[in-house]
Amino acid sequence: MAFETEIQQIRQLKSDLLRTQAQRVLAIAFDVSALIKLRIQTRGENSQNEKLPYYTPFTVRSRKAQGYQVGFVDYTQTGQLWASVGPRLISEGDGKVSAVIESRNQRGKGILDKAVPKRGNLLLASEEELKIAQDAYTRGLENLLNF
């Protein structure tokens, strides 16, 4: 009887893991999004941890005149761009879930698209950020499995 009970518990656990998988992936994607924003807004670095190409002289003058920092490129003035950036589930099924980090509005999408030729895709995660996310996801699963 104990064996059948354990089998039923394993089936229930599998069902619970599949049912909550999208929530867990979305939570990790929110964390990755926050790490990307932190990297750019505090260090002005791309996903390879290289400084983003600097502002044009006109932009430097304009930012200084408005009281914004000019030590590195941070894509922060009004805060609207980074407030619009976050994860969205793009697919779910067959035990697989995918999410993308993107701007939720056209203005933000335009800013990010315009950045690509000079600064690349700003929303790519660094290896360190991906490792942090993978470790957090693994710890979450281990907690659920009582390891």
Side-chain angles (χ1 to χ4, degrees):
M1 187 70 160
F3 180 72
E4 289 153 356
T5 302
E6 287 181 10
I7 294 293
Q8 183 54 37
Q9 288 173 335
I10 290 169
R11 286 185 178 137
Q12 183 61 50
L13 181 58
K14 178 183 176 185
S15 174
D16 291 347
L17 287 172
L18 289 172
R19 182 177 45 78
T20 61
Q21 184 179 23
Q23 293 169 293
R24 288 181 282 111
V25 167
L26 196 55
I28 293 300
F30 268 108
D31 290 346
V32 171
S33 176
L35 291 168
I36 291 168
K37 293 174 191 182
L38 180 68
R39 171 177 34 86
I40 294 172
Q41 290 186 290
T42 61
R43 299 192 319 258
E45 295 177 352
N46 65 19
S47 62
Q48 303 300 309
N49 298 316
E50 301 164 337
K51 290 290 183 190
L52 293 170
Y54 198 59
Y55 295 118
T56 64
F58 173 80
T59 302
V60 169
R61 283 191 304 277
S62 174
R63 284 181 63 89
K64 277 184 179 180
Q66 296 176 51
Y68 297 114
Q69 71 83 23
V70 294
F72 55 88
V73 173
D74 63 4
Y75 281 88
T76 303
Q77 280 188 309
T78 65
Q80 291 177 12
L81 169 63
W82 296 120
S84 77
V85 170
R88 177 177 61 88
L89 292 178
I90 56 173
S91 68
E92 181 178 4
D94 297 324
K96 297 177 185 176
V97 176
S98 296
V100 64
I101 297 171
E102 63 186 2
S103 175
R104 293 183 203 98
N105 64 45
Q106 288 305 312
R107 181 180 178 275
K109 287 177 184 180
I111 291 169
L112 294 168
D113 287 346
K114 187 177 175 185
V116 170
K118 185 173 182 179
R119 298 190 173 102
N121 181 347
L122 297 176
L123 300 182
L124 288 178
S126 69
E127 289 296 321
E128 178 184 9
E129 292 158 350
L130 291 174
K131 172 107 173 67
I132 290 168
Q134 290 167 345
D135 290 349
Y137 191 81
T138 299
R139 277 193 311 276
L141 285 177
E142 288 171 349
N143 289 339
L144 288 171
L145 298 171
N146 295 316
F147 278 78

